[in-house]
Amino acid sequence: MTKPRVCIFSTCLVDLLFPNVGQAMVEVLERLGCETFLPTKQVCCGQPTYNSGYAAGSMKTFKNEIDALASVDADYIVGPSGSCVFMIKEYEAILKDDPVYGPKAKQVADKIYEFSQFIYRVLGIVDCGAELDAKATVHRSCHMTRLIGERTAPFVLLDHVKGLNRIPLKNVQLCCGFGGTFSAKHPELSDSMVDEKVQNIIDTEAEVLIGTEQSCLMNIAGRMNRLGHPIRVMHIAEVLNHQVDVNRIKYLADVDEAVVPANGEGVF
């Protein structure tokens, strides 16, 4: 059987603040039968500048990222952050009138998936064989749920992690207040939003906060630390790569479970 060829889309915050996430992604995907590739020309998806109104100035960044991701003859492109993944998807509409990069942007957009979404919906895996003996709660990414439309894949995979006691998070659908440049432009409003998120996390009495978006985790963890409420923060890739027993890896085809719809976890 031919191994799926996966191009790893490495986001800025993975490299700078969460260096273990990229390695965890690669180890999980290769354990699940994928062949992985990491293009070295990647820099940034261009979302911060584009969302700040610098559309023309972002084009060079967009094109560099397209060239980097398209340099690998991959079946799929997989990234650890829903917001960055969606930015790549937006390239198709942004560059639709470009005779050279329009087709390239569509090709890249059609191949890209968020990490947990890819494992569950493309590879068809429900149990990665991981184990984490902890009480945890999960912050849900706004971009992943509202824009990519995936609300449930991370929760299904986490609920199959041996020993993990997942505590539902009150108002899981609410933003943590980061929003990229939003937190810099509207600090008072951002602080209020993250304070509400932090209080809801504290109320769960969880030992671990799990997320799919590094920027959210950075924002929440930073606020909790400043308020004197340290908590272990883990990206889902790190959880799914923790104390793995390969004999426990299961595909949906191997279990008596229906595929959970993408919009099945909570509101919005």
Side-chain angles (χ1 to χ4, degrees):
M1 183 177 178
T2 304
K3 291 184 176 182
R5 292 169 59 86
V6 176
C7 174
I8 301 296
F9 169 39
S10 181
T11 67
C12 304
L13 285 172
V14 166
D15 296 331
L16 297 175
L17 300 172
F18 297 86
N20 295 329
V21 172
Q23 181 179 346
M25 280 181 56
V26 169
E27 291 179 1
V28 170
L29 292 174
E30 291 189 347
R31 188 180 298 120
L32 299 178
C34 298
E35 185 178 6
T36 62
F37 304 87
L38 180 63
T40 57
K41 291 180 63 178
Q42 297 183 69
V43 179
C44 175
C45 69
Q47 180 182 172
T49 54
Y50 185 75
N51 287 350
S52 296
Y54 299 100
S58 301
M59 292 302 163
K60 185 176 181 180
T61 303
F62 293 166
K63 292 175 180 180
N64 175 81
E65 197 69 14
I66 290 170
D67 287 338
L69 296 174
S71 68
V72 176
D73 182 19
D75 303 305
Y76 306 98
I77 302 168
V78 176
S81 168
S83 61
C84 298
V85 166
F86 186 74
M87 185 72 249
I88 301 294
K89 287 182 172 293
E90 284 193 291
Y91 288 176
E92 180 181 353
I94 295 168
L95 294 164
K96 67 182 188 304
D97 295 326
D98 188 306
V100 175
Y101 280 91
K104 288 184 180 181
K106 185 180 188 316
Q107 182 184 44
V108 169
D110 288 345
K111 290 182 178 182
I112 198 164
Y113 293 88
E114 182 274 334
F115 175 70
S116 63
Q117 178 190 45
F118 176 74
I119 291 174
Y120 184 62
R121 303 208 180 273
V122 179
L123 296 182
I125 289 170
V126 70
D127 192 334
C128 292
E131 180 175 353
L132 180 62
D133 187 13
K135 183 162 68 170
T137 195
V138 182
H139 167 68
R140 208 179 69 176
S141 159
C142 296
H143 277 81
M144 185 169 165
T145 57
R146 293 175 173 83
L147 299 177
I148 293 180
E150 180 58 71
R151 296 168 175 82
T152 53
F155 295 93
V156 173
L157 293 172
L158 290 171
D159 285 344
H160 285 82
V161 173
K162 184 178 179 182
L164 187 69
N165 178 15
R166 179 167 73 88
I167 309 300
L169 182 62
K170 180 183 176 181
N171 290 331
V172 67
Q173 76 279 5
L174 297 185
C175 177
C176 74
F178 182 66
T181 56
F182 172 83
S183 60
K185 294 177 179 178
H186 305 282
E188 293 183 359
L189 181 56
S190 175
D191 285 351
S192 178
M193 293 168 72
V194 73
D195 282 345
E196 180 179 0
K197 180 67 66 172
V198 164
Q199 188 58 55
N200 288 335
I201 292 169
I202 292 171
D203 289 345
T204 67
E205 299 183 350
E207 305 160 304
V208 181
L209 171 65
I210 302 172
T212 60
E213 190 89 28
Q214 295 88 332
S215 56
C216 298
L217 293 176
M218 174 190 69
N219 187 46
I220 297 168
R223 190 62 171 172
M224 294 193 81
N225 185 62
R226 290 190 294 275
L227 293 173
H229 300 290
I231 187 172
R232 185 180 182 186
V233 173
M234 298 181 74
H235 185 273
I236 189 171
E238 296 173 296
V239 177
L240 299 182
N241 198 41
H242 193 269
Q243 295 182 354
V244 174
D245 177 359
V246 295
N247 294 313
R248 288 184 43 248
I249 296 174
K250 290 185 177 63
Y251 287 78
L252 274 163
D254 300 329
V255 297
D256 187 21
E257 296 181 26
V259 177
V260 181
N263 62 352
E265 181 76 20
V267 297
F268 289 82

